[in-house]
Amino acid sequence: MTTKARVLYDFIAELGNNELSIQEGETLSVINQNVGGGWVEAENSRGQRGLVPEDYIQINPGSTASSAAPSGDAHNANYYCPVVNQGFNGNEAWAANSNENWDSSQQKALPSQGSFDDEEWDDDSDDGKSTGAYSWSQSEEGGGTMQKGTAHHAMKISLNKVFSKTPNPEVYLLTKYVPKENDRLPIYTGDVGPVWLYPQSQLDCAVADPKKGSKLYGLKSYIEYQIIPNSTNRAVNHRYKHFDWLYERLVEKFGCTIPIPCLPDKQVTGRFEDEFIKMRMERLQGWMSRLCRHPVVANSEVFQLFLTYRDEKDWKVGKRKAEKDETVGVMIFSTIDPEIRELDPTEVEQKCESFSRFTKSMDDRVKELLSVGHLHWKRCTGPLQKEYQQIGKAFQNLSSVFNTSGYQGEATLTEALTSTGKTYEEIAEMIAGQPKKDLHFLMETNSEYKGLLGCFPDIIGVHKAAIEKVKEADRLVAMSKLGTQDKHTMEKNLSTMSYALQAEMNHFHSNRIYDYNRVMQLYLQEQVQFYETIAGMLKQALNQYTTM
């Protein structure tokens, strides 16, 4: 049975992944909600079918519930992804489908994010297979546990998709907290303004040597990667689900001040094909390299655990400690110690608005470049390649006709025409293969920045909410409902938040300049070589014709 869904966000399909491009406001027919991995199969009004991210669409509230909803759930759930975000007020801690209204008893039954150990939860077999549905139950301590069931067809929940609301900054604004030396995140005045403290030696790591493994007597298969940091030169092994865990921990801890780029999405089919494994490894390498370049993330305890754990026991102990971290969400600002003058709230608001305008404009332009790039790639591997093949074939067909004339003086011409036709066929193949040599890297860089820029609305939303709270404090002081000392604490903490945002924006701009310089040089170098090669081939073809 198909159900109708409205598209919430634009999504551009990647070539070869059986995906479907969709546009905001479009209406789709959802054919299969049980694909798994955060995807559904849908059909657009033109009859085109493919996979779309389930969090990019909103299924009609009157539609039949997904069979993947947890057993015992009375709601018509379109998707189900509980997310804990420190700093929410009360029951706002859980974010779910906008069509669902969770009551308090149901919320208590949901497990906190990251509360499962490897033995308790093995959600991704990495081969797209699953052996049963999962249901939620409440333990005696009030926490949730995940249990295997068989009543429903299973759908794996994509933990890479975070449904969040703006955390309440008031939790931090009224906090008088002196960070411990080990937790302290200093901010200094650099040549460009407030900056994080950068290490003397740059952390980096290599993602390499993907190997297929299995467990449960071969019922579950997965790909494991070696991660080799330059700080130890000692390899550690991680599966995709471990990257997923790290992503969730980083978002939970730093998501209010640092954009954490999304992981490359899980693949529904073809997980063990060589080309896909190579592509995923390349994207995981880019993801890890970007995090290694961030001075705060790279030096964090959870990230260092991921890179340098000694054995299985060390990994599990470190995981539990990271999952109990209290300085997460808006409370991360309590560890920030700017050694700079306190800012006026008006100045804070001006800088926040400036960053908001820039990130929104850049996001629009990055999406435009991605759209144009995808269209060009399709033309190179489709119509453009075919046009050059047709030109080459036409030259050779004309040469074949000339050969039938019987005229003795035209052998050189017919041979030259045939050679020219073959040259154009060779050019057609070059055109089809060229995007992988140059456009690929430009598109990958822009995809990374699309992910980064997609984090800023939430980050800036936290800062705007804090600005409004400080404005409200002025009114409360005038009404004698808030003391002047508390108001000053709020303004001081708002200033700290602003310096964190400025330091992060300066880090972002520095990386942006470096990344786009590098990728544009590579793109243009490959383009120059491409056209020089074509020019050389055409000159060679030209020289075969005699001058009359």
Side-chain angles (χ1 to χ4, degrees):
M1 180 183 295
T2 62
T3 56
K4 296 296 182 181
R6 183 171 63 86
V7 177
L8 301 176
Y9 313 104
D10 291 347
F11 171 73
I12 300 174
E14 291 191 7
L15 296 175
N17 281 355
N18 299 322
E19 297 171 357
L20 176 67
S21 294
I22 54 179
Q23 291 184 332
E24 181 180 350
E26 185 179 0
T27 299
L28 303 176
S29 296
V30 178
I31 301 166
N32 183 6
Q33 298 183 49
N34 299 322
V35 171
W39 298 84
V40 299
E41 184 180 7
E43 180 179 85
N44 61 21
S45 59
R46 297 179 296 281
Q48 298 169 325
R49 291 190 178 189
L51 302 175
V52 300
E54 62 180 343
D55 54 325
Y56 279 51
I57 63 173
Q58 182 177 32
I59 296 177
N60 189 327
S63 301
T64 305
S66 167
S67 61
S71 59
D73 184 4
H75 295 278
N76 290 332
N78 299 326
Y79 48 72
Y80 185 83
C81 183
V83 176
V84 169
N85 199 328
Q86 298 288 337
F88 287 7
N89 278 328
N91 292 334
E92 289 180 351
W94 293 101
N97 188 331
S98 59
N99 294 324
E100 301 178 54
N101 295 312
W102 300 91
D103 62 37
S104 58
S105 63
Q106 287 161 329
Q107 289 164 355
K108 290 176 183 177
L110 299 177
S112 64
Q113 188 180 9
S115 63
F116 308 111
D117 205 350
D118 284 345
E119 291 79 15
E120 298 167 345
W121 179 29
D122 192 5
D123 80 307
D124 73 309
S125 62
D126 282 346
D127 59 0
K129 298 176 183 177
S130 187
T131 54
Y134 292 98
S135 61
W136 298 101
S137 66
Q138 189 172 2
S139 67
E140 293 179 0
E141 294 79 16
T145 58
M146 181 174 275
Q147 299 178 338
K148 187 67 88 54
T150 56
H152 300 280
H153 180 76
M155 179 180 77
K156 277 186 278 204
I157 300 168
S158 174
L159 293 183
N160 199 27
K161 311 299 181 185
V162 180
F163 303 92
S164 63
K165 296 178 181 178
T166 302
N168 182 8
E170 193 172 355
V171 178
Y172 162 69
L173 287 175
L174 289 170
T175 299
K176 296 178 182 178
Y177 181 85
V178 178
K180 300 175 184 177
E181 187 59 33
N182 292 342
D183 295 334
R184 182 172 170 268
L185 298 176
I187 294 177
Y188 301 101
T189 302
D191 294 337
V192 294
V195 293
W196 300 112
L197 175 63
Y198 285 82
Q200 292 183 344
S201 58
Q202 177 65 56
L203 177 66
D204 201 0
C205 71
V207 181
D209 197 22
K211 291 181 179 178
K212 184 177 179 181
S214 63
K215 59 190 299 187
L216 298 179
Y217 304 100
L219 292 176
K220 285 182 173 289
S221 302
Y222 56 86
I223 298 294
E224 192 171 61
Y225 302 88
Q226 271 195 354
I227 316 297
I228 309 171
N230 62 358
S231 56
T232 63
N233 289 320
R234 182 176 61 85
V236 295
N237 295 319
H238 283 297
R239 293 164 55 182
Y240 183 90
K241 69 179 225 173
H242 299 154
F243 285 93
D244 217 3
W245 176 87
L246 175 64
Y247 169 76
E248 293 298 324
R249 297 280 69 75
L250 293 176
V251 169
E252 184 181 36
K253 185 170 182 65
F254 299 115
C256 287
T257 186
I258 297 171
I260 304 299
C262 286
L263 282 169
D265 285 331
K266 290 184 180 181
Q267 182 85 345
V268 178
T269 58
R271 290 170 182 265
F272 300 121
E273 294 176 1
D274 290 342
E275 186 175 351
F276 168 71
I277 292 173
K278 180 181 177 182
M279 179 189 70
R280 169 176 278 185
M281 186 172 69
E282 177 186 315
R283 290 178 175 176
L284 287 175
Q285 176 69 74
W287 189 78
M288 289 296 296
S289 294
R290 187 165 296 282
L291 294 178
C292 283
R293 282 157 57 183
H294 198 289
V296 175
V297 174
N299 195 47
S300 66
E301 194 170 356
V302 64
F303 194 71
Q304 286 295 318
L305 167 72
F306 190 81
L307 291 178
T308 62
Y309 74 93
R310 294 183 297 275
D311 50 36
E312 192 67 19
K313 180 180 178 181
D314 189 34
W315 168 247
K316 289 181 179 178
V317 169
K319 279 183 66 180
R320 293 188 182 100
K321 183 179 179 182
E323 288 160 1
K324 293 178 180 178
D325 190 355
E326 294 181 355
T327 53
V328 297
V330 293
M331 292 310 295
I332 191 66
F333 295 111
S334 65
T335 66
I336 294 171
D337 187 14
E339 300 183 355
I340 318 174
R341 68 174 179 85
E342 186 177 325
L343 291 174
D344 181 84
T346 304
E347 187 177 356
V348 170
E349 186 171 17
Q350 290 172 348
K351 290 184 179 296
C352 187
E353 287 298 330
S354 174
F355 296 148
S356 179
R357 287 193 299 270
F358 175 83
T359 53
K360 176 63 171 66
S361 297
M362 183 176 173
D363 187 43
D364 291 340
R365 299 290 75 80
V366 164
K367 289 176 179 176
E368 177 187 22
L369 186 53
L370 281 171
S371 178
V372 171
H374 278 293
L375 181 61
H376 180 64
W377 194 311
K378 281 187 175 182
R379 278 189 52 76
C380 287
T381 55
L384 202 55
Q385 179 191 22
K386 188 173 293 185
E387 287 171 15
Y388 274 81
Q389 288 172 337
Q390 289 172 344
I391 291 172
K393 191 66 176 176
F395 282 140
Q396 292 179 73
N397 289 340
L398 182 61
S399 174
S400 298
V401 173
F402 284 0
N403 266 329
T404 64
S405 70
Y407 188 73
Q408 293 183 355
E410 67 175 358
T412 301
L413 174 61
T414 54
E415 288 175 6
L417 267 174
T418 301
S419 178
T420 299
K422 291 179 179 179
T423 296
Y424 272 86
E425 288 181 336
E426 291 174 11
I427 290 173
E429 295 306 311
M430 287 179 59
I431 288 171
Q434 187 60 24
K436 290 184 178 180
K437 297 180 179 179
D438 50 30
L439 189 58
H440 167 74
F441 299 104
L442 182 59
M443 298 290 279
E444 287 294 308
T445 299
N446 273 275
S447 292
E448 285 186 41
Y449 271 88
K450 178 185 174 184
L452 286 169
L453 290 161
C455 299
F456 275 109
D458 287 340
I459 291 174
I460 291 174
V462 173
H463 288 263
K464 288 184 175 180
I467 292 168
E468 291 303 314
K469 289 291 183 183
V470 171
K471 288 180 179 179
E472 184 181 344
D474 289 329
R475 295 190 291 271
L476 293 175
V477 169
M479 298 166 62
S480 300
K481 292 185 177 181
L482 185 72
T484 54
Q485 186 59 44
D486 287 333
K487 177 177 176 285
H488 179 260
T489 298
M490 293 180 71
E491 290 178 344
K492 183 177 183 295
N493 288 346
L494 179 66
S495 177
T496 298
M497 291 179 66
S498 179
Y499 277 125
L501 180 59
Q502 291 178 61
E504 188 52 40
M505 286 303 303
N506 285 331
H507 176 78
F508 176 84
H509 288 315
S510 174
N511 278 266
R512 172 178 58 84
I513 292 169
Y514 170 80
D515 288 334
Y516 277 92
N517 261 313
R518 177 180 57 87
V519 76
M520 286 306 300
Q521 286 177 14
L522 174 62
Y523 176 74
L524 291 173
Q525 285 167 359
E526 289 289 340
Q527 283 275 289
V528 168
Q529 184 177 343
F530 170 66
Y531 284 109
E532 284 180 345
T533 302
I534 289 179
M537 293 169 66
L538 293 176
K539 286 179 181 178
Q540 188 174 353
L542 173 63
N543 292 334
Q544 296 182 58
Y545 293 88
T546 58
T547 304
M548 301 301 292

